Amino acid sequence: MTTTADVDQALEAAGLTNESVAQFVRQWAEHTGAERIEVVSAADDARLVQEALEAGELKPAGEGMYYSRSFSKDTARSEERTIVATSDEADRGQYNNWKPASEVRPVVEGHMKDALAGKTMYVIPYLMAPKGSALAKFAAGVELTDNRNVVMQMIRMARVGVEYINDMGDDFVRAVHVTGDLENLKQGTPDDMRNFVTVADERTILHFGSSYGGNALLGKIAHGLRQGSYDGWKNGFLVEQFMLLGITDKQTGKKYNIAGGFPSASGKTNLAMTLAPDALGDRYYVEFYGDDIAWIWVDEDGVLRGFNPENGVFGVAKDTNEKTNPTAIESIQPGSGAIFTNVAYNEKTGDVWWEGRGERPSDLDGWLDWKGERIADRSEDEMDAPWAHPNSRFTTVLSQVPNVADDYEDPRGVEIHGIIFGGRTRDREPLIRAIDDLAEGVYDGLTLGAEATAAADGKEGVLRYDPMSMRPFMSYGEGAYAQHWLDVVGQAKNQPVFAHVNWFQRGEDGRFLWPGYRENLRPLVWLMQYRAGEVTGQRTPVGVIPTRDELLLEGLDEQALADLDTVLTIDKARWQEEMGYREEHLQQFHDLPEQIWQAHRRVAKDLEDL
Ligand code: GTP
Ligand code: SPV
Ligand code: MN
């Protein structure tokens, strides 16, 4: 076990001078019984990668790219094991799984006691913001982890180094991650030992029992979303699971930035990365800012602004290919430093593959599925099982994304002109409907719904509501959350336009009625034109939808043209049915602002009158 002197020596050698951080590290070194302390920064990446390759934790996947595999029962965030704890029961919401801090803290601390005996405790100082941001005070954190892969993932996903923490005094999130003995945690049983706790009013995150994604990289989801949204509530800003992109009209020189929430695994990364300006006669230029998180506030001039707090992309691999998302493919080329997790891997060639990457390799030699089992050894009836896990992912840094905006690191963020919500819904929701009114926009966000996907444990195909795509990350009550939205966005001098989009409507034969992916630029261009008053669309009870001739249709394929009228139609009966479900959904929330109920009743009445 380390002594206080050892800890202090490690901190000093790394140039970590923040005494509050030092105390936090000492306390946890003692509690976990860590054998060694190692403070890391981004500059340590090459050495850590080398160590991980030697230890077999990473495998080479092409030059400067790596493959890793997580434990087979540890492949996604686990929502039912995730808890927001505070000392005030008023923070209990419908979705935040609230518990008293005094009850859960001892449990998870108990699991962590002496859990690092014989192990290294890595100290990861990080910032979830561009350096110099006015919100930096809420963005700094220190993650302690026993897992080298988590360190390498954090180096890609966050800004990592002592320089981000030394001047922060006590303004940092205390984040502790202990992997635990994954084979013996009784996952999914009544004795499940996993606990993913954010003690929001103490700015402390304690995650035990996973080494995967948002369960383990505590900067990203636990701090960047859960803790961040709690801090935002108390301090006047918004923190959302939103992508952020910019569209410039080269003819007019005008630029529009759009932020948007889509539930996990519903298309944020793809939308932010892959819009196809070339498809529309090269008139538009599209820039990438962020694919998963946006922090949003109104500046001193009354401008609604936002930035992406992350430094990288943790993208769903499935169906990512040259056609659906060429930009993503370009960002995971040799030399990119990309890490692939739970994809299929060829141990002889170092190639990786996933469902939707292209043809399945016909030569099975060397191929392992996501569990590490040889494909060639599969029996006849196992042959059709997926090779990659449906939630397998690639991790790459923003600077590798070819269309990343020049100003993506600007601490002032960018102005936000539009806010969109998009679910995964197979019927009812049209391609796009614009909403001009703030309360109605917030109402629309609160009633966002999606079919469950592989990113969260759950049944595929079952529809569930996911307010603003924040359901798994909600840190306080939904009524207060809605009010906070009205308050923050209400301060903006120029109100953003809202819109609801749906790329996932299906025909009776199950095919997608809209080609999606790169073609999604078309409805967004319409939204820009709508905001600028260049098109008027047709007013419906649920918003303004484009007329067929207002959409740029050049180059769209035959099938999409044939299906277009269906995705631009409002089905009154289906919508009225939906209004009943919405009412039940909203009734669960305590203290929902009256303005939201008014918006709901207005839509219901307009539907009745249709
Ligand atoms: P998280 O990282 O979990 O928050 O997910 P995300 O919202 O960023 O989702 P992502 O863009 O990674 O997409 C998830 C899945 O949806 C992938 O398998 C995509 O291929 C698929 N997808 C994304 N956009 C579209 C689209 O426009 N049409 C269709 N049909 N599928 C899409
Ligand atoms: C999500 O599930 O919404 C993600 C992936 O972005 S994870 O980081 O694992 O939460
Ligand atoms: Mn996400």
Side-chain angles (χ1 to χ4, degrees):
M1 211 189 94
T2 45
T3 62
T4 301
D6 296 336
V7 175
D8 289 353
Q9 202 181 12
L11 299 181
E12 199 188 311
L16 201 155
T17 55
N18 183 324
E19 182 50 30
S20 298
V21 174
Q23 273 176 26
F24 165 65
V25 176
R26 277 184 217 121
Q27 174 204 338
W28 279 94
E30 194 191 323
H31 185 78
T32 59
E35 176 82 25
R36 283 181 66 237
I37 305 294
E38 188 178 326
V39 183
V40 294
S41 75
D44 294 313
D45 191 59
R47 175 182 54 81
L48 291 162
V49 163
Q50 201 48 45
E51 289 172 13
L53 287 168
E54 280 161 23
E57 294 161 9
L58 286 183
K59 300 250 160 51
E63 191 233 313
M65 297 196 290
Y66 313 97
Y67 158 77
S68 86
R69 197 160 64 228
S70 69
F71 179 58
S72 63
K73 288 181 190 164
D74 185 31
T75 55
R77 278 183 298 104
S78 166
E79 294 184 5
E80 73 287 359
R81 303 301 306 167
T82 301
I83 288 165
V84 173
T86 67
S87 299
D88 184 357
E89 187 157 9
D91 293 336
R92 183 197 289 276
Q94 190 63 30
Y95 296 135
N96 66 349
N97 235 340
W98 182 87
K99 296 251 165 60
S102 58
E103 182 188 314
V104 290
R105 233 187 198 281
V107 174
V108 58
E109 285 174 355
H111 290 329
M112 290 176 172
K113 178 80 186 141
D114 297 329
L116 267 56
K119 294 189 182 167
T120 298
M121 182 172 93
Y122 297 94
V123 178
I124 314 172
Y126 66 84
L127 188 70
M128 296 306 291
K131 197 165 166 65
S133 157
L135 299 180
K137 160 174 175 173
F138 306 105
V142 177
E143 173 167 356
L144 308 179
T145 180
D146 57 4
N147 191 300
R148 186 162 30 209
N149 189 35
V150 168
V151 180
M152 292 179 291
Q153 299 276 355
M154 277 292 286
I155 285 175
R156 283 158 183 73
M157 295 305 295
R159 293 168 174 89
V160 170
V162 293
E163 66 272 30
Y164 299 110
I165 206 78
N166 275 342
D167 300 333
M168 301 309 291
D170 206 38
D171 289 327
F172 67 96
V173 166
R174 290 158 165 79
V176 186
H177 166 248
V178 171
T179 304
D181 176 8
L182 295 175
E183 314 248 358
N184 294 297
L185 296 177
K186 310 189 178 78
Q187 289 94 332
T189 74
D191 303 321
D192 202 325
M193 289 172 70
R194 298 172 299 162
N195 274 299
F196 309 117
V197 183
T198 298
V199 189
D201 55 354
E202 295 177 37
R203 307 196 78 225
T204 296
I205 297 164
L206 303 170
H207 278 210
F208 174 81
S210 168
S211 69
Y212 191 84
N215 291 340
L217 321 176
L218 303 186
K220 181 176 173 54
I221 300 278
H223 179 171
L225 284 172
R226 252 177 235 115
Q227 180 67 54
S229 70
Y230 192 87
D231 292 337
W233 178 39
K234 301 287 180 183
N235 295 279
F237 59 99
L238 298 173
V239 163
E240 308 296 332
Q241 191 194 201
F242 281 5
M243 62 89 217
L244 181 58
L245 61 84
I247 302 175
T248 302
D249 181 336
K250 291 189 198 166
Q251 274 173 21
T252 63
K254 282 195 198 141
K255 182 176 177 221
Y256 292 82
N257 300 310
I258 299 177
F262 299 62
S264 297
S266 296
K268 290 179 300 299
T269 299
N270 280 279
L271 185 64
M273 272 189 155
T274 195
L275 294 177
D278 42 315
L280 298 184
D282 208 26
R283 178 168 163 189
Y284 300 94
Y285 179 57
V286 183
E287 287 165 287
F288 171 93
Y289 285 97
D291 75 316
D292 202 43
I293 308 180
W295 286 23
I296 296 170
W297 73 102
V298 174
D299 73 9
E300 54 289 356
D301 299 321
V303 179
L304 186 70
R305 308 188 76 87
F307 64 66
N308 169 16
E310 302 196 88
N311 186 52
V313 173
F314 185 56
V316 175
K318 186 168 190 291
D319 288 333
T320 303
N321 60 52
E322 283 79 1
K323 191 155 172 283
T324 58
N325 196 342
T327 331
I329 297 293
E330 266 189 71
S331 75
I332 49 177
Q333 291 301 315
S336 61
I339 301 177
F340 300 93
T341 306
N342 293 344
V343 299
Y345 176 70
N346 190 307
E347 59 183 346
K348 295 197 174 147
T349 62
D351 288 335
V352 292
W353 188 86
W354 49 81
E355 275 64 32
R357 178 67 188 87
E359 290 279 301
R360 259 189 189 178
S362 51
D363 181 359
L364 303 186
D365 188 36
W367 281 103
L368 306 177
D369 68 12
W370 67 271
K371 290 182 175 167
E373 285 162 10
R374 293 166 46 125
I375 305 277
D377 292 349
R378 284 184 170 189
S379 67
E380 198 60 43
D381 39 316
E382 287 167 337
M383 269 305 171
D384 282 341
W387 287 20
H389 188 280
N391 193 35
S392 60
R393 301 226 171 203
F394 58 85
T395 313
T396 195
V397 290
L398 296 186
S399 58
Q400 288 293 325
V401 178
N403 63 331
V404 71
D406 292 340
D407 57 349
Y408 79 97
E409 298 201 278
D410 189 335
R412 290 166 307 174
V414 291
E415 179 166 6
I416 291 177
H417 304 91
I419 296 177
I420 65 178
F421 299 111
R424 230 174 214 281
T425 33
R426 37 176 75 233
D427 63 357
R428 184 180 49 78
E429 275 296 356
L431 180 62
I432 186 166
R433 48 186 177 87
I435 297 166
D436 299 298
D437 171 72
L438 171 59
E440 217 161 294
V442 174
Y443 163 71
D444 188 70
L446 293 173
T447 52
L448 176 61
E451 289 149 15
T453 57
D457 301 346
K459 289 200 193 89
E460 281 205 56
V462 180
L463 194 103
R464 62 172 204 166
Y465 288 106
D466 191 339
M468 262 91 163
S469 68
M470 283 293 282
R471 176 177 171 142
F473 316 114
M474 207 58 99
S475 58
Y476 57 103
E478 290 77 10
Y481 175 85
Q483 186 61 54
H484 187 53
W485 257 85
L486 296 171
D487 292 344
V488 173
V489 182
Q491 292 163 26
K493 272 199 303 225
N494 291 323
Q495 286 291 297
V497 65
F498 286 85
H500 198 106
V501 299
N502 182 24
W503 319 141
F504 299 96
Q505 204 174 137
R506 297 201 191 229
E508 262 151 31
D509 56 357
R511 76 171 184 286
F512 288 111
L513 296 180
W514 174 251
Y517 296 104
R518 315 197 74 205
E519 306 293 357
N520 295 333
L521 180 57
R522 298 172 194 268
L524 295 188
V525 163
W526 175 84
L527 184 66
M528 287 170 39
Q529 293 171 336
Y530 175 73
R531 188 177 193 272
E534 293 160 20
V535 295
T536 52
Q538 19 171 177
R539 198 156 282 281
T540 81
V542 291
V544 177
I545 58 178
T547 61
R548 196 182 166 104
D549 57 309
E550 284 171 349
L551 281 174
L552 298 172
L553 299 178
E554 207 187 305
L556 203 58
D557 71 44
E558 290 286 318
Q559 187 64 61
L561 287 170
D563 290 331
L564 195 61
D565 287 339
T566 315
V567 298
L568 295 178
T569 306
I570 301 296
D571 176 342
K572 176 174 171 170
R574 251 324 258 113
W575 268 97
Q576 285 191 305
E577 187 187 357
E578 169 64 16
M579 293 305 283
Y581 301 145
R582 286 185 172 189
E583 184 131 348
E584 278 171 41
H585 161 64
L586 294 178
Q587 262 157 5
Q588 308 170 91
F589 303 151
H590 62 84
D591 301 328
L592 197 66
E594 180 52 27
Q595 279 163 278
I596 302 299
W597 281 117
Q598 280 166 4
H600 175 69
R601 287 195 291 265
R602 194 159 61 232
V603 173
K605 173 152 193 323
D606 289 355
L607 275 166
E608 215 173 284
D609 295 347
L610 186 67

